Amino acid sequence: MTDLTERLLAQARRFQESGATPVTPRPAATVLLLRPAATGFEVYLLRRAASMAFASGVYAFPGGSVDPRDADGDPLPGRWAERLGRSEREAQAVVRAAVRETAEETGVRL
């Protein structure tokens, strides 16, 4: 086992033994922006602001939580619900959140 794996396992055990309640997951979307490079691909990461409450200062892919408004609007073309294993409304919200969050955080319009 690697040192990182051992540390993560120890942290998980401490959390379990603490009796704390895990956070309920929220629907969210993450986008990996790739571009060809001489050695394969380059991946776009952004550094989270030091002032953020969660994961401040870490490098992350663009993305974030689904906003209730992301489910509104005309149905999306394609088979997103089937691809994502979600209802049409849930899939639409996740795809719209991915597009919105990427534009907000990077200026890249998908």
Side-chain angles (χ1 to χ4, degrees):
M1 243 190 262
T2 67
D3 182 51
L4 176 60
T5 303
E6 290 174 8
R7 286 186 292 152
L8 290 172
L9 283 171
Q11 183 176 354
R13 285 187 190 108
R14 283 192 305 274
F15 179 81
Q16 184 178 22
E17 291 165 0
S18 75
T21 303
V23 174
T24 302
R26 297 181 301 202
T30 299
V31 176
L32 276 68
L33 298 172
L34 305 172
R35 71 176 175 194
T39 58
F41 287 96
E42 292 178 340
V43 181
Y44 184 94
L45 293 171
L46 32 100
R47 188 161 189 197
R48 293 175 58 88
S51 60
M52 296 184 87
F54 174 74
S56 62
V58 303
Y59 289 92
F61 300 113
S65 295
V66 172
D67 184 284
R69 293 172 292 175
D70 292 325
D72 297 338
D74 295 330
L76 296 174
R79 301 156 93 180
W80 289 106
E82 181 181 326
R83 285 178 155 172
L84 298 175
R86 299 282 179 215
S87 71
E88 289 286 340
R89 185 170 173 78
E90 290 172 325
Q92 178 168 295
V94 170
V95 171
R96 285 204 168 108
V99 171
R100 178 183 50 75
E101 287 282 345
T102 301
E104 287 175 2
E105 294 179 358
T106 69
V108 173
R109 296 183 59 105
L110 303 176

XYZ file of all heavy atoms in Angstrom:
835
model
N 0.828 -1.183 0.000
C 0.000 0.000 0.000
C 0.876 1.251 0.000
O 1.887 1.295 0.666
C -0.861 -0.001 1.264
C -2.330 -0.081 0.976
S -3.337 0.210 2.438
C -3.689 -1.469 2.889
N 0.421 2.256 -0.714
C 1.176 3.507 -0.726
C 0.898 4.298 0.549
O -0.095 4.055 1.245
C 0.794 4.378 -1.945
O -0.565 4.813 -1.765
C 0.932 3.618 -3.241
N 1.762 5.232 0.837
C 1.588 6.079 2.013
C 0.263 6.841 1.947
O -0.453 6.940 2.946
C 2.763 7.052 2.130
C 2.656 7.933 3.362
O 2.465 7.378 4.465
O 2.743 9.164 3.218
N -0.079 7.354 0.758
C -1.333 8.093 0.598
C -2.523 7.185 0.877
O -3.455 7.570 1.587
C -1.439 8.692 -0.806
C -2.756 9.398 -1.115
C -2.995 10.566 -0.158
C -2.768 9.876 -2.563
N -2.509 5.972 0.337
C -3.607 5.035 0.570
C -3.753 4.743 2.056
O -4.870 4.727 2.590
C -3.370 3.724 -0.210
O -3.220 4.032 -1.596
C -4.509 2.749 -0.023
N -2.652 4.521 2.731
C -2.692 4.248 4.166
C -3.263 5.435 4.945
O -4.071 5.259 5.861
C -1.300 3.894 4.672
C -0.822 2.543 4.188
C 0.622 2.268 4.571
O 1.220 3.045 5.343
O 1.157 1.260 4.085
N -2.870 6.642 4.563
C -3.382 7.828 5.255
C -4.878 8.006 5.014
O -5.616 8.356 5.940
C -2.618 9.077 4.820
C -1.211 9.132 5.416
C -0.509 10.412 5.113
N -0.231 10.458 3.674
C -0.121 11.569 2.958
N -0.255 12.743 3.523
N 0.136 11.520 1.679
N -5.322 7.768 3.786
C -6.751 7.890 3.489
C -7.569 6.837 4.238
O -8.645 7.131 4.759
C -6.997 7.785 1.982
C -6.510 8.968 1.156
C -6.640 8.666 -0.341
C -7.262 10.234 1.514
N -7.064 5.624 4.292
C -7.759 4.575 5.045
C -7.836 4.915 6.529
O -8.874 4.726 7.177
C -7.068 3.224 4.844
C -7.342 2.532 3.519
C -6.434 1.313 3.354
C -8.794 2.129 3.413
N -6.755 5.420 7.086
C -6.739 5.801 8.496
C -7.742 6.926 8.761
O -8.470 6.910 9.763
C -5.330 6.228 8.912
N -7.799 7.885 7.856
C -8.741 8.988 8.017
C -10.174 8.470 7.936
O -11.036 8.883 8.721
C -8.502 10.041 6.940
C -9.381 11.262 7.076
C -9.055 12.327 6.045
O -8.109 12.209 5.284
N -9.842 13.374 6.024
N -10.459 7.557 7.011
C -11.799 6.983 6.888
C -12.181 6.214 8.146
O -13.318 6.306 8.628
C -11.867 6.074 5.664
N -11.237 5.470 8.698
C -11.503 4.725 9.936
C -11.797 5.672 11.101
O -12.714 5.448 11.890
C -10.322 3.829 10.275
C -10.248 2.609 9.398
C -9.150 1.648 9.872
N -8.966 0.622 8.873
C -7.905 0.525 8.072
N -6.904 1.382 8.184
N -7.817 -0.435 7.175
N -11.018 6.756 11.206
C -11.255 7.731 12.283
C -12.647 8.341 12.149
O -13.357 8.515 13.143
C -10.188 8.830 12.263
C -8.863 8.415 12.849
C -7.937 9.590 13.079
N -7.695 10.396 11.894
C -6.755 10.145 10.974
N -5.959 9.102 11.111
N -6.608 10.929 9.934
N -13.034 8.659 10.923
C -14.364 9.234 10.705
C -15.441 8.235 11.114
O -16.386 8.580 11.823
C -14.551 9.648 9.244
C -15.912 10.228 8.984
C -16.175 11.551 9.291
C -16.939 9.451 8.464
C -17.431 12.095 9.079
C -18.198 9.978 8.259
C -18.448 11.307 8.565
N -15.298 6.996 10.695
C -16.290 5.968 11.022
C -16.388 5.778 12.540
O -17.480 5.685 13.098
C -15.933 4.652 10.351
C -16.975 3.570 10.571
C -16.618 2.294 9.856
O -15.458 2.048 9.538
N -17.614 1.473 9.595
N -15.260 5.739 13.198
C -15.239 5.536 14.647
C -15.784 6.745 15.411
O -16.252 6.607 16.536
C -13.815 5.220 15.106
C -13.332 3.862 14.626
C -11.828 3.680 14.762
O -11.130 4.616 15.237
O -11.333 2.605 14.369
N -15.756 7.917 14.788
C -16.229 9.124 15.469
C -17.750 9.137 15.629
O -18.274 9.856 16.474
C -15.799 10.382 14.700
O -16.612 10.545 13.538
N -18.437 8.361 14.797
C -19.897 8.346 14.852
C -20.543 9.533 14.168
O -21.756 9.710 14.235
N -19.742 10.364 13.502
C -20.286 11.531 12.806
C -21.168 11.086 11.645
O -21.012 9.997 11.094
C -19.148 12.412 12.290
N -22.105 11.929 11.273
C -23.006 11.650 10.165
C -22.372 12.134 8.867
O -21.985 13.301 8.777
C -24.353 12.367 10.377
O -24.898 11.953 11.622
C -25.323 12.053 9.258
N -22.273 11.260 7.864
C -21.720 11.704 6.580
C -22.607 12.764 5.935
O -23.816 12.802 6.163
C -21.719 10.434 5.723
C -21.921 9.303 6.663
C -22.623 9.851 7.868
N -22.015 13.602 5.146
C -22.744 14.624 4.407
C -23.569 13.938 3.318
O -23.105 13.001 2.671
C -21.754 15.626 3.767
C -22.468 16.617 2.880
C -20.967 16.337 4.843
N -24.781 14.417 3.123
C -25.617 13.882 2.062
C -25.122 14.423 0.728
O -24.983 15.643 0.572
C -27.095 14.299 2.275
O -27.510 13.829 3.552
C -27.984 13.730 1.192
N -24.835 13.547 -0.235
C -24.348 14.036 -1.529
C -25.403 14.855 -2.257
O -26.599 14.605 -2.112
C -24.022 12.756 -2.314
C -24.454 11.617 -1.489
C -24.939 12.105 -0.172
N -24.923 15.842 -3.022
C -25.799 16.681 -3.840
C -25.464 16.437 -5.299
O -24.306 16.182 -5.635
C -25.562 18.158 -3.549
C -25.879 18.574 -2.149
C -25.633 20.049 -1.981
N -24.218 20.350 -2.280
C -23.582 21.411 -1.860
N -24.200 22.306 -1.147
N -22.332 21.606 -2.152
N -26.451 16.563 -6.175
C -26.139 16.450 -7.607
C -25.147 17.537 -8.016
O -25.270 18.691 -7.610
C -27.489 16.662 -8.298
C -28.510 16.377 -7.248
C -27.877 16.761 -5.934
N -24.147 17.143 -8.781
C -23.122 18.080 -9.228
C -22.571 17.613 -10.567
O -22.828 16.485 -10.996
C -22.008 18.174 -8.191
N -21.822 18.472 -11.205
C -21.229 18.157 -12.505
C -19.783 18.615 -12.516
O -19.445 19.653 -11.955
C -22.003 18.857 -13.614
N -18.942 17.830 -13.142
C -17.532 18.161 -13.329
C -17.198 17.981 -14.798
O -17.678 17.056 -15.436
C -16.645 17.225 -12.484
O -16.983 17.394 -11.107
C -15.182 17.533 -12.675
N -16.378 18.876 -15.319
C -16.004 18.826 -16.730
C -14.490 18.717 -16.837
O -13.759 19.445 -16.164
C -16.487 20.093 -17.471
C -16.015 20.106 -18.910
C -18.006 20.189 -17.407
N -14.030 17.803 -17.663
C -12.605 17.698 -17.959
C -12.369 18.325 -19.322
O -12.878 17.837 -20.329
C -12.148 16.232 -17.985
C -11.811 15.635 -16.626
C -13.019 15.481 -15.764
C -11.071 14.367 -16.792
N -11.643 19.422 -19.330
C -11.281 20.090 -20.577
C -9.907 19.579 -20.991
O -8.940 19.721 -20.249
C -11.256 21.604 -20.385
C -12.584 22.252 -19.987
C -12.368 23.724 -19.642
C -13.608 22.098 -21.088
N -9.838 18.978 -22.161
C -8.595 18.400 -22.671
C -8.230 19.052 -23.994
O -9.106 19.439 -24.765
C -8.764 16.899 -22.911
C -9.242 16.037 -21.756
C -9.541 14.637 -22.238
C -8.195 16.005 -20.665
N -6.927 19.106 -24.269
C -6.483 19.515 -25.607
C -5.274 18.664 -25.963
O -4.472 18.285 -25.097
C -6.182 20.993 -25.691
C -4.948 21.438 -24.967
C -4.705 22.920 -25.202
N -3.573 23.363 -24.415
C -3.283 24.625 -24.206
N -4.049 25.570 -24.705
N -2.240 24.946 -23.493
N -5.160 18.354 -27.253
C -4.022 17.535 -27.683
C -2.702 18.246 -27.401
O -2.598 19.466 -27.479
C -4.237 17.390 -29.190
C -5.659 17.744 -29.429
C -6.056 18.699 -28.352
N -1.700 17.457 -27.055
C -0.355 17.969 -26.812
C 0.638 16.964 -27.387
O 0.266 15.845 -27.746
C -0.117 18.164 -25.325
N 1.874 17.358 -27.471
C 2.900 16.494 -28.065
C 3.016 15.154 -27.342
O 3.298 14.134 -27.953
C 4.247 17.212 -28.049
N 2.771 15.152 -26.043
C 2.929 13.915 -25.265
C 1.601 13.260 -24.905
O 1.548 12.409 -24.030
C 3.703 14.204 -23.964
O 2.976 15.200 -23.229
C 5.105 14.684 -24.257
N 0.516 13.654 -25.528
C -0.806 13.091 -25.229
C -1.834 14.196 -25.137
O -2.240 14.744 -26.145
N -2.220 14.531 -23.911
C -3.201 15.594 -23.704
C -2.765 16.492 -22.553
O -2.084 16.060 -21.630
C -4.575 15.006 -23.344
C -5.274 14.370 -24.501
C -5.181 13.006 -24.705
C -6.011 15.127 -25.388
C -5.807 12.401 -25.771
C -6.651 14.534 -26.464
C -6.551 13.169 -26.651
N -3.208 17.741 -22.621
C -3.093 18.659 -21.503
C -4.478 18.765 -20.881
O -5.483 18.765 -21.589
C -2.623 20.035 -21.970
C -1.200 20.024 -22.477
C -0.752 21.382 -22.995
O -1.622 22.228 -23.315
O 0.459 21.591 -23.081
N -4.533 18.851 -19.556
C -5.790 18.920 -18.820
C -5.882 20.275 -18.141
O -4.926 20.728 -17.503
C -5.871 17.799 -17.755
C -7.183 17.859 -17.007
C -5.670 16.439 -18.393
N -7.032 20.918 -18.258
C -7.247 22.224 -17.635
C -7.676 22.025 -16.180
O -8.653 21.343 -15.895
C -8.338 22.989 -18.397
C -8.562 24.394 -17.885
C -7.901 25.461 -18.459
C -9.431 24.644 -16.840
C -8.100 26.756 -18.005
C -9.639 25.925 -16.369
C -8.966 26.971 -16.959
O -9.175 28.241 -16.490
N -6.940 22.625 -15.266
C -7.287 22.649 -13.852
C -7.323 24.096 -13.404
O -6.624 24.945 -13.948
C -6.232 21.916 -13.016
C -6.118 20.411 -13.205
C -4.880 19.886 -12.481
C -7.356 19.716 -12.686
N -8.137 24.366 -12.397
C -8.105 25.697 -11.817
C -7.811 25.577 -10.332
O -8.048 24.543 -9.729
C -9.397 26.473 -12.047
C -10.720 25.773 -12.117
C -11.509 25.864 -10.836
C -11.513 26.505 -13.187
N -7.253 26.617 -9.786
C -6.919 26.610 -8.361
C -8.036 27.312 -7.607
O -8.379 28.463 -7.902
C -5.593 27.314 -8.110
C -5.157 27.150 -6.679
C -3.706 27.408 -6.518
N -3.322 27.021 -5.167
C -2.225 27.402 -4.603
N -1.374 28.160 -5.266
N -1.950 27.018 -3.385
N -8.608 26.603 -6.641
C -9.697 27.164 -5.847
C -9.158 28.286 -4.958
O -8.046 28.193 -4.431
C -10.346 26.074 -5.005
C -11.065 25.045 -5.878
C -11.617 23.893 -5.077
N -12.541 24.295 -4.037
C -13.853 24.448 -4.189
N -14.400 24.234 -5.369
N -14.612 24.803 -3.187
N -9.943 29.323 -4.801
C -9.539 30.478 -4.003
C -9.256 30.072 -2.554
O -9.938 29.212 -1.989
C -10.626 31.546 -4.037
N -8.268 30.695 -1.960
C -7.892 30.402 -0.575
C -9.011 30.764 0.398
O -9.076 30.237 1.499
C -6.616 31.149 -0.219
N -9.917 31.630 -0.019
C -11.004 32.073 0.862
C -12.207 31.128 0.856
O -13.138 31.318 1.634
C -11.466 33.472 0.434
O -11.928 33.425 -0.905
N -12.205 30.113 -0.003
C -13.349 29.207 -0.084
C -13.425 28.309 1.149
O -12.403 27.881 1.682
C -13.269 28.360 -1.356
C -13.354 29.198 -2.624
S -13.388 28.210 -4.105
C -15.134 27.915 -4.216
N -14.654 28.005 1.567
C -14.852 27.184 2.766
C -14.450 25.738 2.526
O -13.925 25.077 3.415
C -16.315 27.254 3.198
N -14.694 25.227 1.331
C -14.398 23.821 1.036
C -13.214 23.720 0.083
O -13.188 24.353 -0.957
C -15.622 23.136 0.420
C -15.358 21.739 -0.037
C -15.226 20.703 0.875
C -15.220 21.444 -1.381
C -14.971 19.404 0.463
C -14.966 20.162 -1.811
C -14.843 19.137 -0.886
N -12.239 22.926 0.423
C -11.092 22.616 -0.429
C -10.390 23.871 -0.955
O -10.044 23.949 -2.128
C -11.516 21.704 -1.574
N -10.177 24.816 -0.083
C -9.524 26.059 -0.507
C -8.094 25.796 -0.956
O -7.388 24.973 -0.382
C -9.543 27.077 0.627
O -8.814 26.590 1.724
N -7.700 26.471 -2.034
C -6.336 26.394 -2.528
C -5.974 25.152 -3.317
O -4.863 25.055 -3.823
N -6.881 24.194 -3.438
C -6.551 22.975 -4.180
C -6.840 23.156 -5.668
O -7.628 24.008 -6.060
C -7.304 21.723 -3.650
C -7.026 21.486 -2.186
C -8.784 21.823 -3.911
N -6.195 22.355 -6.479
C -6.455 22.361 -7.912
C -7.622 21.434 -8.198
O -7.728 20.355 -7.610
C -5.220 21.918 -8.683
C -4.134 22.959 -8.651
C -3.153 22.928 -7.673
C -4.119 24.001 -9.580
C -2.165 23.901 -7.626
C -3.141 24.975 -9.537
C -2.164 24.918 -8.562
O -1.196 25.882 -8.512
N -8.522 21.858 -9.091
C -9.737 21.086 -9.363
C -10.149 21.275 -10.815
O -9.736 22.221 -11.487
C -10.862 21.547 -8.446
N -10.979 20.354 -11.277
C -11.607 20.498 -12.587
C -12.770 21.476 -12.437
O -13.361 21.581 -11.363
C -12.149 19.157 -13.087
C -11.097 18.101 -13.232
C -11.098 16.986 -12.410
C -10.108 18.204 -14.195
C -10.140 15.997 -12.531
C -9.136 17.225 -14.325
C -9.150 16.118 -13.502
N -13.153 22.179 -13.496
C -14.327 23.052 -13.422
C -15.580 22.239 -13.104
O -15.710 21.100 -13.523
C -14.421 23.653 -14.828
C -13.096 23.422 -15.464
C -12.513 22.214 -14.810
N -16.486 22.845 -12.374
C -17.753 22.184 -12.071
C -18.305 22.659 -10.756
O -17.726 23.498 -10.078
N -19.454 22.105 -10.403
C -20.073 22.479 -9.144
C -21.461 21.903 -9.016
O -21.910 21.099 -9.832
N -22.161 22.349 -7.999
C -23.487 21.831 -7.675
C -24.528 22.220 -8.717
O -24.449 23.280 -9.328
C -23.948 22.366 -6.319
O -23.119 21.890 -5.296
N -25.505 21.337 -8.854
C -26.653 21.605 -9.713
C -27.527 22.625 -9.010
O -27.821 22.502 -7.831
C -27.446 20.309 -9.986
C -28.749 20.602 -10.705
C -26.599 19.329 -10.787
N -27.922 23.656 -9.734
C -28.837 24.675 -9.241
C -30.250 24.255 -9.662
O -30.409 23.722 -10.759
C -28.459 26.023 -9.889
C -29.287 27.173 -9.377
O -30.462 27.276 -9.802
O -28.778 27.961 -8.574
N -31.264 24.491 -8.841
C -32.624 24.102 -9.240
C -33.038 24.658 -10.602
O -33.770 24.010 -11.353
C -33.509 24.676 -8.127
C -32.611 24.754 -6.936
C -31.235 25.039 -7.485
N -32.532 25.828 -10.962
C -32.871 26.418 -12.275
C -32.270 25.644 -13.435
O -32.703 25.790 -14.575
C -32.418 27.874 -12.328
C -33.204 28.768 -11.378
C -32.614 30.134 -11.309
N -31.307 29.998 -10.638
C -30.434 30.964 -10.473
N -30.687 32.158 -10.926
N -29.300 30.753 -9.854
N -31.252 24.800 -13.174
C -30.628 24.027 -14.248
C -31.592 23.017 -14.865
O -31.378 22.558 -15.976
C -29.378 23.295 -13.742
C -28.249 24.250 -13.390
O -28.105 25.284 -14.071
O -27.500 23.957 -12.446
N -32.657 22.659 -14.156
C -33.635 21.690 -14.679
C -34.694 22.358 -15.557
O -35.460 21.669 -16.225
C -34.307 20.952 -13.526
N -34.739 23.695 -15.556
C -35.756 24.417 -16.323
C -35.369 24.530 -17.795
O -34.211 24.361 -18.156
C -35.945 25.825 -15.749
C -36.469 25.797 -14.329
O -37.068 24.779 -13.942
O -36.268 26.794 -13.614
N -36.337 24.861 -18.608
C -36.072 25.127 -20.018
C -36.498 23.989 -20.922
O -37.040 22.967 -20.488
N -36.259 24.193 -22.193
C -36.617 23.192 -23.196
C -35.799 21.924 -23.000
O -34.648 21.988 -22.572
C -36.360 23.742 -24.606
C -37.271 24.922 -24.928
O -38.395 24.952 -24.389
O -36.852 25.805 -25.702
N -36.368 20.777 -23.347
C -35.614 19.525 -23.239
C -34.344 19.577 -24.086
O -34.306 20.201 -25.145
C -36.582 18.476 -23.790
C -37.931 19.101 -23.682
C -37.720 20.587 -23.831
N -33.307 18.931 -23.595
C -32.043 18.881 -24.319
C -32.112 17.839 -25.432
O -32.733 16.798 -25.261
C -30.899 18.514 -23.373
C -30.588 19.497 -22.265
C -29.535 18.911 -21.337
C -30.089 20.808 -22.841
N -31.456 18.112 -26.542
C -31.404 17.095 -27.586
C -30.488 15.948 -27.165
O -29.618 16.121 -26.310
C -30.819 17.853 -28.782
C -30.039 18.964 -28.186
C -30.740 19.318 -26.897
N -30.691 14.819 -27.737
C -29.801 13.695 -27.450
C -30.364 12.772 -26.394
O -31.505 12.884 -25.979
N -29.508 11.860 -25.966
C -29.919 10.818 -25.050
C -29.216 10.949 -23.704
O -28.641 9.998 -23.186
C -29.618 9.476 -25.684
C -30.341 9.305 -27.004
C -29.670 8.329 -27.890
N -30.218 6.991 -27.740
C -29.772 5.961 -28.428
N -28.783 6.109 -29.274
N -30.308 4.785 -28.258
N -29.265 12.130 -23.124
C -28.548 12.379 -21.877
C -29.068 11.526 -20.735
O -28.297 11.035 -19.917
C -28.592 13.866 -21.526
C -27.752 14.674 -22.440
C -28.180 15.497 -23.442
C -26.328 14.704 -22.475
N -27.103 16.047 -24.081
C -25.948 15.577 -23.513
C -25.332 14.084 -21.739
C -24.632 15.848 -23.824
C -24.012 14.348 -22.039
C -23.668 15.227 -23.080
N -30.364 11.360 -20.633
C -30.926 10.565 -19.530
C -30.407 9.136 -19.588
O -29.982 8.574 -18.578
C -32.452 10.591 -19.585
N -30.396 8.570 -20.769
C -29.906 7.196 -20.939
C -28.414 7.119 -20.610
O -27.963 6.228 -19.899
C -30.162 6.744 -22.374
C -29.730 5.333 -22.667
C -29.987 4.960 -24.123
O -30.977 5.440 -24.703
O -29.173 4.200 -24.674
N -27.640 8.071 -21.126
C -26.191 8.073 -20.897
C -25.839 8.219 -19.427
O -24.892 7.625 -18.933
C -25.532 9.219 -21.656
C -25.410 9.011 -23.108
C -24.802 10.241 -23.713
N -24.143 9.916 -24.951
C -23.661 10.799 -25.777
N -23.751 12.093 -25.475
N -23.080 10.439 -26.888
N -26.600 9.048 -18.708
C -26.287 9.341 -17.309
C -27.052 8.457 -16.328
O -26.819 8.534 -15.126
C -26.572 10.818 -17.003
C -25.740 11.828 -17.808
C -26.197 13.249 -17.514
C -24.258 11.661 -17.512
N -27.967 7.647 -16.847
C -28.741 6.773 -15.964
C -29.637 7.550 -15.016
O -29.817 7.173 -13.865
N -30.184 8.652 -15.505
C -31.037 9.532 -14.700
C -32.337 9.803 -15.449
O -32.447 9.543 -16.639
C -30.339 10.878 -14.450
C -29.046 10.779 -13.708
C -29.350 10.593 -12.260
N -28.135 10.456 -11.480
C -28.047 9.678 -10.432
N -29.062 8.960 -10.052
N -26.939 9.599 -9.757
N -33.292 10.399 -14.745
C -34.518 10.836 -15.411
C -34.167 11.973 -16.374
O -33.086 12.583 -16.261
C -35.540 11.326 -14.389
O -35.128 12.571 -13.835
N -35.075 12.276 -17.287
C -34.834 13.383 -18.239
C -34.553 14.683 -17.486
O -33.633 15.411 -17.826
C -36.047 13.569 -19.166
C -36.229 12.463 -20.177
C -35.214 12.517 -21.306
O -34.603 13.589 -21.548
O -35.043 11.483 -21.963
N -35.354 14.966 -16.477
C -35.193 16.218 -15.713
C -33.847 16.256 -14.979
O -33.154 17.268 -14.984
C -36.354 16.369 -14.739
C -36.345 17.676 -13.993
C -37.661 17.861 -13.227
N -37.628 19.012 -12.364
C -37.780 20.273 -12.757
N -37.978 20.530 -14.031
N -37.743 21.270 -11.903
N -33.461 15.160 -14.326
C -32.177 15.121 -13.613
C -31.010 15.239 -14.580
O -30.046 15.963 -14.309
C -32.057 13.819 -12.828
C -32.973 13.720 -11.636
C -32.951 12.330 -11.023
O -32.820 11.330 -11.745
O -33.079 12.258 -9.798
N -31.077 14.529 -15.698
C -29.998 14.584 -16.684
C -29.867 15.992 -17.253
O -28.756 16.507 -17.407
C -30.250 13.577 -17.800
N -30.988 16.614 -17.542
C -30.973 17.978 -18.065
C -30.316 18.918 -17.064
O -29.491 19.763 -17.434
C -32.409 18.423 -18.345
C -32.525 19.846 -18.846
C -33.901 20.122 -19.384
O -34.291 19.529 -20.376
N -34.632 20.998 -18.734
N -30.636 18.774 -15.788
C -30.057 19.639 -14.760
C -28.554 19.446 -14.662
O -27.794 20.421 -14.561
C -30.731 19.356 -13.413
N -28.081 18.212 -14.720
C -26.643 17.940 -14.610
C -25.893 18.495 -15.822
O -24.841 19.133 -15.680
C -26.389 16.425 -14.433
C -24.914 16.104 -14.575
C -26.898 15.963 -13.080
N -26.418 18.279 -17.008
C -25.753 18.770 -18.225
C -25.729 20.295 -18.230
O -24.689 20.910 -18.504
C -26.437 18.216 -19.498
C -25.904 18.897 -20.747
C -26.253 16.703 -19.573
N -26.842 20.914 -17.882
C -26.870 22.380 -17.841
C -25.938 22.921 -16.763
O -25.302 23.959 -16.943
C -28.294 22.876 -17.642
C -29.113 22.763 -18.903
C -30.269 23.755 -18.899
N -30.853 23.802 -20.222
C -32.030 23.299 -20.528
N -32.772 22.735 -19.609
N -32.493 23.392 -21.758
N -25.840 22.239 -15.636
C -24.914 22.672 -14.581
C -23.475 22.587 -15.072
O -22.662 23.483 -14.802
C -25.100 21.819 -13.322
N -23.145 21.529 -15.804
C -21.787 21.383 -16.336
C -21.448 22.542 -17.272
O -20.373 23.142 -17.172
C -21.660 20.052 -17.079
N -22.368 22.872 -18.152
C -22.141 23.967 -19.105
C -22.045 25.297 -18.364
O -21.132 26.096 -18.603
C -23.268 23.993 -20.166
C -23.193 25.241 -21.025
C -23.218 22.726 -21.019
N -22.975 25.546 -17.447
C -23.008 26.812 -16.703
C -21.759 26.990 -15.834
O -21.098 28.037 -15.875
C -24.268 26.861 -15.826
C -24.377 28.111 -14.963
C -25.613 28.068 -14.060
N -25.761 26.834 -13.301
C -25.043 26.507 -12.226
N -24.074 27.308 -11.785
N -25.259 25.369 -11.584
N -21.422 25.968 -15.066
C -20.265 26.061 -14.170
C -18.963 26.248 -14.947
O -18.097 27.016 -14.540
C -20.169 24.816 -13.287
C -21.221 24.748 -12.196
C -20.903 25.640 -11.012
O -19.765 26.100 -10.868
O -21.830 25.875 -10.207
N -18.819 25.538 -16.060
C -17.608 25.691 -16.869
C -17.472 27.116 -17.385
O -16.403 27.717 -17.328
C -17.592 24.677 -18.028
O -17.660 23.357 -17.476
C -16.345 24.808 -18.879
N -18.580 27.689 -17.880
C -18.543 29.061 -18.375
C -18.246 30.048 -17.244
O -17.432 30.958 -17.409
C -19.872 29.410 -19.045
N -18.890 29.852 -16.082
C -18.671 30.761 -14.946
C -17.231 30.717 -14.444
O -16.645 31.743 -14.116
C -19.602 30.387 -13.787
C -21.040 30.733 -14.001
C -21.961 30.230 -12.883
O -21.466 29.638 -11.899
O -23.171 30.411 -13.034
N -16.656 29.517 -14.388
C -15.333 29.367 -13.770
C -14.172 29.562 -14.725
O -13.081 29.896 -14.285
C -15.242 27.985 -13.113
C -16.190 27.828 -11.954
C -16.127 26.448 -11.318
O -15.376 25.581 -11.796
O -16.848 26.248 -10.328
N -14.385 29.337 -16.013
C -13.270 29.378 -16.962
C -13.466 30.346 -18.109
O -12.504 30.676 -18.788
C -13.027 27.990 -17.573
O -14.126 27.667 -18.422
C -12.847 26.921 -16.511
N -14.719 30.729 -18.379
C -15.000 31.544 -19.555
C -15.156 30.713 -20.819
O -15.447 31.243 -21.880
N -14.967 29.400 -20.716
C -15.120 28.508 -21.858
C -16.601 28.178 -22.017
O -17.250 27.756 -21.061
C -14.308 27.196 -21.661
C -14.606 26.211 -22.782
C -12.832 27.504 -21.572
N -17.112 28.403 -23.212
C -18.523 28.099 -23.492
C -18.599 26.785 -24.247
O -18.008 26.645 -25.297
C -19.145 29.234 -24.295
C -19.169 30.546 -23.492
C -19.841 31.642 -24.266
N -21.199 31.265 -24.589
C -22.284 31.757 -23.991
N -22.133 32.648 -23.040
N -23.484 31.380 -24.349
N -19.321 25.846 -23.659
C -19.463 24.509 -24.277
C -20.647 24.497 -25.217
O -21.617 25.161 -25.032
C -19.637 23.446 -23.204
C -18.522 23.378 -22.169
C -18.863 22.344 -21.092
C -17.222 22.995 -22.832
